[in-house]
Amino acid sequence: MEKSLVVPLQYLKGIGPKRAKSFNKLGINTIEDLLYYFPRRYEDRTNFISISKLQEDQTYTIKAQVLARGERRSFRRRGFSIIEVAVGDSTAKIFCVWFNQPYLKEYFKVGVTLILYGRIERYAGRLQMNSPEFEVVSSKSDESLNIGRITPIYSLPEAMTQRRLRQIIKYALDEYLPKINDFLPFDIRSRNNLLNLAKSLLAIHFPDNFEIQKEALSRLSFEEFFLFQIPLALRKVKKKQRKGIAHQVEGELVANFITGLPFQLTRAQEKVIGEIKADMAAAEPMQRLLQGDVGSGKTVVATIAGLMAIQGGYQAAFMVPTEILARQHYDKISAQSRGVRLGLLTSSANEKEKKRMYKEIAEGEINLAIGTHALLEEAVKFKNLGLVVIDEQHKFGVGQRALLPVKGANPDVLIMTATPIPRTLAITLYGDLDVSIINELPPGRLAVKTMHFTQENKSSAYEIAKDQLRQGSQAYIVYPVIEESYVLDIKGAKKMYSELKSGEFKEFKLGLIHGRLKQSEQDEIMLKFKQKELDLLVSTTVLEVGIDIANATCMMVESAERFGLSQLHQLRGRVGRGRQESFCILISDAETPEAKARLEAMIKYNDGFRIAEEDLKIRGPGEFFGLRQSGLSELRIANPLTQMQLLKKAREEAIRLTHLDPKLEMRQNGLLKEKLLQRFPEYEKLMMVG
Ligand code: ADP
Ligand code: MG
């Protein structure tokens, strides 16, 4: 933005070193940061409601005078203090109550006028306001920022009051708004009906009415989305400009593979394969994200893409997050595709094996290399890498994902995820990728029946599992940790394995698997399970992604409250892969509202897209995408879920801009460029590289 706002806070009236420090703790270092420190909510203090009209279970802001105050000790809890203050206006009076904050008392002198914000509740037959937020109205100073208007309420820095903060922000607005030049070019603003920056900043803090506040919100959200989209859009343009490989997509290898499959591809798979084929045939490098619910059959699609590269003489690499999954893909693809030489590379291979693998990959002996992040090691060099597939991409960081493609000369890239999100959101968040979606499961799959049991009723849960085992099916039971924790009071897989083996499940054959076992041991156990030598697999989340064993029909998750929603859905995805009815049993004494919401969502929805939406709602976009989209957690005011339209517009503008002026050299884009470089310093490099 305007350099004029990148000024240390201390320059502002009312801010000394001490105040500056408590602002700094919240990341507010400059005037700009302060102006972008938005209210967390507003109170309409233009008209206050009469106390006589207050109703139970509603939240209000009232203005009233202190009539009396008192303090007492709780009967039930010793040492617990309760302050009661009777306040009234011309219509009625009401009690306000604060718990265990005796120091508040001094504010409530009789005769003082208060503004109170809180919920009205009934207690012992009378209405009262519990622990309201309050402000003391001054009879001496100017109250125009605090009363008689829509008033902003902020999250407060240490040792700061709402009134003081409003005053400080007002100073900043008065002094700096006249100096602001809007960095959003005029034509973008007018095309999208956006308020200018100065007006928006004023109206977001001190709106004259809620309409203008909304307009300000739109403008400021647009700006966040827009800045976030520009680097993505530019990256996409750049990638497309590079010269990639035009693969020989028609050929025997692919045709034979498809005829050899024991099933028909679904329509959704066919469609996605068509999209990938078009990309791979073209000389532009493919950058595609493939989304599909757990069990939708992404592996086959990726394998076909691999064969398209291989039949033209190129190599393909599949990177997956766990060794178990690498092994599974390796076994499955080996069985399905003749005439292709596969290599398996994981960190647990010994030096000799690794060396041999490196050599064979480098010499082009191996057509398809499957592995974990071990593929990223320096020593891995390809002869002619033509396709990179990254499975379960959410398990890798952005940085890791970028490391594999550079081992080839602009290979095609296919990124796969089983945490699907709504299409518009996917397109905007992964703005540098094209998006394909498998929106259909193979036919004949039954919805997994999901149930919740408390710890107390666990034995009924075990009965369901045993029932499945007796019918010859297999089951998993997943624990959040390997070793149990007394502190957190959670059971661990190891101890429970021995308990279950000699107790509840002693008539069955049990196996134990977790991440601390040697790879060879893990492989052996998975193999035994696959060959039905084991009935019940006691495990940790090493099973979370990808495992595909159709005879398993029961997934039990212990301490289910400790897992995220998408994680639970992934675990559930380990069953329901065959034609028998399957069960997902969540055992939990969930107490927090979020944990309860997750369990409810699991019971209500089977569809991964719905689950992801719920997960996004529960966690918020920043948490949901975590570090993977670190830019997202920087969104302060914009919300991709509730402002999808605005996000779309911002993206369209970003794409338009990167086509018209990729280096932001035009005069009208000068301020924008400054702002962008301030926000994303790495953008400079992005603009320069070819
Ligand atoms: P995911 O998308 O979760 O990675 P997988 O690729 O592991 O799913 O596929 C799940 C199972 O469905 C596999 O056993 C696979 O062989 C099978 N499968 C894939 N496509 C089809 C299809 N069109 N019809 C029947 N089964 C299929
Ligand atoms: Mg998979």
Side-chain angles (χ1 to χ4, degrees):
M1 117 138 30
E2 264 303 279
K3 283 187 190 122
S4 60
L5 292 187
V6 189
V7 171
L9 270 190
Q10 282 94 314
Y11 286 57
L12 197 67
K13 192 165 139 191
I15 299 197
K18 211 162 151 196
R19 279 240 160 84
K21 218 174 200 172
S22 63
F23 274 115
N24 296 160
K25 274 192 194 156
L26 294 182
I28 307 171
N29 301 310
T30 64
I31 299 291
E32 181 183 9
D33 296 337
L34 184 67
L35 294 180
Y36 276 80
Y37 190 68
F38 301 129
R40 105 183 114 85
R41 61 180 180 85
Y42 302 88
E43 283 178 14
D44 186 350
R45 298 182 182 174
T46 46
N47 291 299
F48 293 98
I49 186 166
S50 307
I51 293 181
S52 62
K53 294 210 177 113
L54 300 183
Q55 289 181 12
E56 198 177 338
D57 287 336
Q58 306 276 338
T59 303
Y60 299 99
T61 308
I62 59 170
K63 185 172 163 214
Q65 237 179 13
V66 175
L67 305 174
R69 65 173 173 182
E71 183 180 6
R72 61 185 171 82
R73 304 264 133 199
S74 165
F75 301 118
R76 295 201 202 121
R77 282 212 253 161
R78 258 198 298 163
F80 199 76
S81 88
I82 300 174
I83 298 177
E84 283 182 313
V85 179
V87 302
D89 61 12
S90 59
T91 65
K93 64 179 178 135
I94 189 165
F95 280 96
C96 297
V97 181
W98 285 269
F99 304 96
N100 236 9
Q101 291 168 282
Y103 52 88
L104 289 182
K105 206 170 56 179
E106 62 179 289
Y107 291 106
F108 308 131
K109 303 218 169 76
V110 172
V112 152
T113 303
L114 298 175
I115 302 208
L116 298 139
Y117 170 82
R119 198 178 160 80
I120 304 294
E121 278 160 48
R122 188 173 293 280
Y123 180 76
R126 71 172 195 203
L127 293 183
Q128 66 180 35
M129 236 184 200
N130 285 336
S131 307
E133 290 177 27
F134 69 93
E135 284 175 34
V136 179
V137 177
S138 161
S139 54
K140 294 182 207 109
S141 51
D142 176 16
E143 284 286 354
S144 60
L145 290 181
N146 305 311
I147 296 181
R149 61 167 315 119
I150 295 169
T151 312
I153 311 289
Y154 299 90
S155 305
L156 291 177
E158 265 169 32
M160 174 78 62
T161 64
Q162 294 289 347
R163 309 160 75 76
R164 189 68 207 151
L165 183 55
R166 277 176 215 134
Q167 186 61 62
I168 289 172
I169 288 179
K170 187 63 174 21
Y171 284 147
L173 289 165
D174 288 346
E175 193 175 337
Y176 287 90
L177 284 194
K179 298 180 193 165
I180 285 187
N181 284 318
D182 201 332
F183 66 87
L184 275 187
F186 180 77
D187 63 316
I188 293 186
R189 263 184 286 146
S190 70
R191 255 199 307 277
N192 296 283
N193 294 319
L194 300 172
L195 224 52
N196 77 32
L197 183 54
K199 277 195 190 136
S200 305
L201 287 173
L202 185 61
I204 204 75
H205 291 287
F206 295 104
D208 286 334
N209 51 56
F210 281 112
E211 286 74 51
I212 193 86
Q213 185 272 342
K214 244 173 139 175
E215 281 189 54
L217 177 71
S218 288
R219 143 73 209 224
L220 294 164
S221 306
F222 179 94
E223 143 184 350
E224 286 191 340
F225 285 143
F226 183 57
L227 291 172
F228 178 77
Q229 288 296 322
I230 295 172
L232 290 176
L234 188 63
R235 207 167 292 147
K236 181 163 182 176
V237 170
K238 295 268 162 158
K239 278 179 182 163
K240 293 271 171 192
Q241 281 168 352
R242 287 187 214 144
K243 191 162 160 36
I245 303 157
H247 287 284
Q248 182 195 319
V249 293
E250 303 287 353
E252 286 217 327
L253 214 48
V254 173
N256 288 343
F257 176 82
I258 293 176
T259 20
L261 283 175
F263 48 73
Q264 284 260 273
L265 293 169
T266 62
R267 252 189 326 204
Q269 283 171 320
E270 300 258 19
K271 179 165 160 279
V272 166
I273 291 166
E275 290 164 353
I276 292 171
K277 189 166 162 183
D279 278 2
M280 290 187 62
E284 287 178 355
M286 169 166 78
Q287 299 290 333
R288 191 166 281 280
L289 173 70
L290 173 55
Q291 298 200 78
D293 204 350
V294 263
S296 61
K298 294 184 291 296
T299 316
V300 179
V301 172
T303 309
I304 291 172
L307 297 176
M308 285 177 188
I310 293 166
Q311 71 190 0
Y314 288 92
Q315 292 172 293
F318 282 16
M319 184 164 74
V320 302
T322 65
E323 306 213 355
I324 298 181
L325 194 52
R327 158 72 59 187
Q328 176 182 292
H329 281 352
Y330 177 85
D331 291 342
K332 189 143 197 174
I333 298 174
S334 306
Q336 283 171 338
S337 23
R338 264 160 293 146
V340 175
R341 287 182 311 267
L342 275 78
L344 178 66
L345 184 63
T346 62
S347 336
S348 65
N350 65 37
E351 280 312 306
K352 208 172 131 205
E353 285 167 341
K354 276 189 191 162
K355 282 231 174 83
R356 204 192 67 221
M357 205 42 77
Y358 295 155
K359 183 159 177 277
E360 291 184 6
I361 292 174
E363 288 172 355
E365 288 279 308
I366 283 173
N367 308 122
L368 175 57
I370 298 173
T372 58
H373 52 270
L375 285 171
L376 300 179
E377 271 166 42
E378 274 239 27
V380 181
K381 300 206 165 69
F382 288 84
K383 185 167 177 221
N384 55 358
L385 182 60
L387 173 77
V388 164
V389 176
I390 295 170
D391 195 9
E392 309 289 352
Q393 64 92 22
H394 60 287
K395 292 278 167 183
F396 296 98
V398 181
Q400 278 180 317
R401 262 168 15 212
L403 285 175
L404 195 50
V406 298
K407 291 180 184 283
N410 300 322
D412 285 338
V413 176
L414 181 66
I415 291 173
M416 307 205 289
T417 175
T419 309
I421 50 174
R423 187 179 195 102
T424 37
L425 198 55
I427 292 172
T428 32
L429 296 186
Y430 303 104
D432 54 341
L433 306 173
D434 295 302
V435 179
S436 286
I437 296 180
I438 304 184
N439 56 3
E440 167 185 29
L441 293 178
R445 298 266 174 88
L446 295 165
V448 176
K449 201 163 171 200
T450 305
M451 292 173 281
H452 171 210
F453 288 86
T454 56
Q455 292 291 349
E456 206 179 10
N457 297 329
K458 197 151 73 176
S459 51
S460 328
Y462 286 154
E463 280 315 310
I464 297 174
K466 281 189 220 170
D467 212 47
Q468 292 299 302
L469 299 184
R470 282 182 198 125
Q471 291 173 31
S473 296
Q474 291 161 286
Y476 305 104
I477 178 162
V478 173
Y479 292 86
V481 290
I482 301 177
E483 308 280 355
E484 69 188 327
S485 160
Y486 295 103
V487 185
L488 301 173
D489 191 26
I490 44 174
K491 303 258 193 298
K494 228 164 149 179
K495 176 111 182 280
M496 287 311 290
Y497 166 71
S498 35
E499 248 175 57
L500 295 174
K501 200 165 80 162
S502 52
E504 282 283 346
F505 289 90
K506 63 171 181 280
E507 57 188 295
F508 302 104
K509 285 175 300 240
L510 270 64
L512 170 68
I513 189 162
H514 56 73
R516 258 186 247 153
L517 292 179
K518 266 198 257 141
Q519 192 52 41
S520 54
E521 293 170 317
Q522 288 188 28
D523 286 345
E524 197 184 313
I525 289 161
M526 281 318 294
L527 189 67
K528 276 189 176 164
F529 191 71
K530 201 172 238 170
Q531 294 173 338
K532 301 190 193 165
E533 287 166 36
L534 296 173
D535 304 307
L536 175 66
L537 197 53
V538 180
S539 161
T540 58
T541 50
V542 288
L543 288 186
E544 184 186 327
V545 297
I547 299 302
D548 181 40
I549 294 174
N551 191 49
T553 57
C554 183
M555 166 60 73
M556 272 200 280
V557 184
E558 274 266 17
S559 307
E561 73 281 357
R562 307 212 139 253
F563 297 86
L565 186 49
S566 297
Q567 217 179 1
L568 288 173
H569 182 65
Q570 282 278 350
L571 286 169
R572 174 166 62 185
R574 298 312 115 220
V575 298
R577 296 189 154 241
R579 288 180 177 264
Q580 305 113 286
E581 179 167 40
S582 292
F583 301 86
C584 174
I585 298 170
L586 306 172
I587 299 172
S588 171
D589 292 341
E591 272 168 8
T592 67
E594 287 85 27
K596 282 184 186 156
R598 291 198 293 266
L599 297 185
E600 263 163 40
M602 280 293 290
I603 289 166
K604 209 153 137 207
Y605 306 116
N606 247 300
D607 172 4
F609 285 86
R610 273 313 314 246
I611 291 277
E613 262 175 60
E614 289 301 310
D615 200 8
L616 262 160
K617 269 193 224 152
I618 295 171
R619 284 198 279 167
E623 277 276 310
F624 181 84
F625 292 99
L627 278 178
R628 284 172 285 137
Q629 291 290 335
S630 52
L632 258 198
S633 42
E634 275 171 33
L635 298 182
R636 301 181 209 201
I637 194 169
N639 181 337
L641 287 184
T642 55
Q643 298 175 304
M644 209 97 112
Q645 276 309 314
L646 205 59
L647 175 53
K648 239 172 104 182
K649 281 194 204 165
R651 172 174 165 79
E652 279 158 20
E653 289 294 350
I655 291 172
R656 186 188 180 117
L657 177 79
T658 42
H659 280 103
L660 286 175
D661 185 16
K663 294 191 174 168
L664 302 181
E665 288 162 331
M666 292 180 188
R667 216 164 64 95
Q668 68 267 33
N669 294 330
L671 286 175
L672 177 60
K673 183 173 175 181
E674 245 175 57
K675 175 79 185 171
L676 204 61
L677 290 178
Q678 179 197 336
R679 188 61 89 75
F680 305 105
E682 70 278 10
Y683 192 75
E684 184 98 61
K685 223 164 68 194
L686 194 60
M687 282 191 294
M688 295 309 153
V689 296

